[in-house]
Amino acid sequence: MSATIHRLDQRPAPSLDPMVALIAADMNLVNAVILDRMQSDIPLIPTLAGHLIAGGGKRMRPMLTLASAKLLGYTGTRHHRLAAAVEFIHTATLLHDDVVDGSDLRRGKRTANLIWGNPASVLVGDFLFSRSFELMVEDGSLKVLKILSSASAIIAEGEVNQLTAARRVDTPEERYLDIIVAKTAALFAAACKIAAVVAERSEAEEAALDAYGRNLGVAFQLVDDAIDYVSDADTMGKDAGDDFRDGKATLPVILAYARGSAEDRTFWKAAIEGHRSGDADFAHALDLVRATRAIDDTLARARHYGQRAIDALAIFPNGKAKDAMVEAVDFAIARAF
């Protein structure tokens, strides 16, 4: 089932359309770089990479690089290849994540690992990581290289942290936040910050864009974790309850477990350890996250981080770019409704 909200005004729902329109010409150039650099003499590489890259994703992260450059009035071309590098990093992590999670669906399509197998998915992910670093080196900025390589390492640390927290229902909320800051928000932050570097702007502006991306990334992941319990495969592009069946202690689970009765906690422990993962068990989990307001409070936290992202843009002048970046935050949160 899907969560619903009754709107008290007639304003249209938030959309990425303003950002898409803002950076359309630049995104065409980024897509050309992506298409060129995913090629290989080994046919399986572009076939498998193309399956995911052309799979209907929003390309939110490279869009943020391009939008941030627009916000700063940058008129050069360096950000095109760097935005492609950001997308390659993201795509590589998705290929690896699907192998680790044993996922069957990604953006409503069968995952690459299900079609071509785990070894091919891991190796093509490695290829895309390598391509991203080639693009960084070609840019020639050690500062850009440091930002994106650091983000890549942080993402890997976050994924390992999440792996070691799997099946542990007593994961503290602080550790959960550390995980999503690393595995999701770090690349959002880097994608925005590198625009300030290539535009040769001040450290204050670099920090502001970093904060915008980081807080947006946290909000984005919080919403993703919430809608795993209140959405469906058509909306999410993956099966509802995947996180539940994978034993991931996301914030809705952490809150529901902390607030539940002794009987509820026994259920959550068995479920997250993999002993209660059937459809009836997931239905019971839905009842518990609703009864404890775990979804409501997860989304409240997402709105908090979303507002922090918007506040970070205060130092920049008003205009179409800023408006589009603000609406992107609203869109990220509105996906749950």
Side-chain angles (χ1 to χ4, degrees), residues 72 74 135 149 156 268 287:
L72 300 171
Y74 177 65
L135 289 164
S149 61
W268 280 117
D287 290 338

Side-chain angles (χ1 to χ4, degrees), residues 200-215:
E200 299 181 348
R201 302 300 284 263
S202 68
E203 290 188 3
E205 289 168 305
E206 286 181 23
L209 284 172
D210 182 286
Y212 168 81
R214 194 172 306 278
N215 284 291

Side-chain angles (χ1 to χ4, degrees), residues 9-323:
D9 54 50
Q10 299 303 312
R11 289 179 298 172
S15 169
L16 280 180
D17 290 348
M19 183 176 285
V20 170
L22 178 77
I23 51 87
D26 288 317
M27 184 56 80
N28 286 337
L29 295 171
V30 173
N31 287 337
V33 175
I34 290 171
L35 182 62
D36 177 58
R37 295 308 182 94
M38 61 183 263
Q39 299 307 312
S40 168
D41 292 336
I42 310 301
L44 179 59
I45 291 176
T47 300
L48 192 154
H51 173 78
L52 186 53
I53 289 173
K58 300 177 187 67
R59 304 219 171 148
M60 185 86 169
R61 293 150 189 84
M63 284 174 61
L64 289 173
T65 300
L66 301 179
S68 297
K70 284 285 188 184
L71 180 70
L72 300 171
Y74 177 65
T75 58
T77 60
R78 290 170 59 192
H79 59 318
H80 297 146
R81 286 191 294 183
L82 292 176
V86 167
E87 182 65 4
F88 280 150
I89 293 170
H90 176 56
T91 304
T93 62
L94 294 185
L95 287 169
H96 291 167
D97 287 353
D98 286 342
V99 170
V100 171
D101 294 340
S103 300
D104 295 333
L105 282 178
R106 167 72 66 181
R107 299 167 180 164
K109 297 172 61 176
R110 289 195 302 161
T111 53
N113 54 295
L114 190 65
I115 299 171
W116 290 283
N118 289 342
S121 290
V122 170
L123 293 172
V124 173
D126 292 344
F127 172 85
L128 294 178
F129 264 127
S130 300
R131 281 291 194 239
S132 73
F133 279 90
E134 284 181 351
L135 289 164
M136 294 178 220
V137 170
E138 289 170 16
D139 177 71
S141 167
L142 284 177
K143 190 169 187 177
V144 166
L145 181 60
K146 181 177 181 180
I147 290 168
L148 290 177
S149 61
S150 175
S152 299
I154 290 169
I155 292 166
E157 288 178 333
E159 294 293 352
V160 174
N161 195 5
Q162 179 174 264
L163 183 66
T164 58
R167 308 280 179 198
R168 295 184 60 91
V169 74
D170 57 349
T171 299
E173 183 174 341
E174 294 76 13
R175 183 177 182 186
Y176 162 83
L177 287 172
D178 286 344
I179 289 169
I180 67 173
V181 165
K183 78 184 190 74
T184 301
L187 190 56
F188 274 72
C192 296
K193 186 176 182 178
I194 57 174
V197 176
V198 299
E200 299 181 348
R201 302 300 284 263
S202 68
E203 290 188 3
E205 289 168 305
E206 286 181 23
L209 284 172
D210 182 286
Y212 168 81
R214 194 172 306 278
N215 284 291
L216 172 57
V218 172
F220 193 92
Q221 187 61 56
L222 284 166
V223 171
D224 263 12
D225 292 346
I227 62 178
D228 188 69
Y229 286 88
V230 295
S231 193
D232 52 44
D234 289 339
T235 302
M236 299 166 59
K238 65 175 185 175
D239 292 327
D242 275 358
D243 290 346
F244 173 79
R245 295 181 181 92
D246 290 341
K248 292 181 180 178
T250 57
L251 189 58
V253 173
I254 292 168
L255 295 178
Y257 176 78
R259 297 169 179 176
S261 65
E263 182 181 355
D264 295 341
R265 290 188 177 205
T266 298
F267 165 79
W268 280 117
K269 189 172 189 300
I272 297 304
E273 288 178 354
H275 308 306
R276 300 282 300 270
S277 58
D279 290 344
D281 297 313
F282 181 57
H284 184 54
L286 290 177
D287 290 338
L288 294 181
V289 295
R290 290 193 197 99
T292 57
R293 298 186 61 82
I295 297 298
D296 292 341
D297 287 346
T298 297
L299 295 177
R301 284 164 170 76
R303 287 190 289 272
H304 166 74
Y305 282 99
Q307 188 58 55
R308 289 177 62 174
I310 292 170
D311 290 345
L313 297 178
I315 70 170
F316 300 107
N318 294 331
K320 288 184 178 180
K322 185 173 178 178
D323 290 345

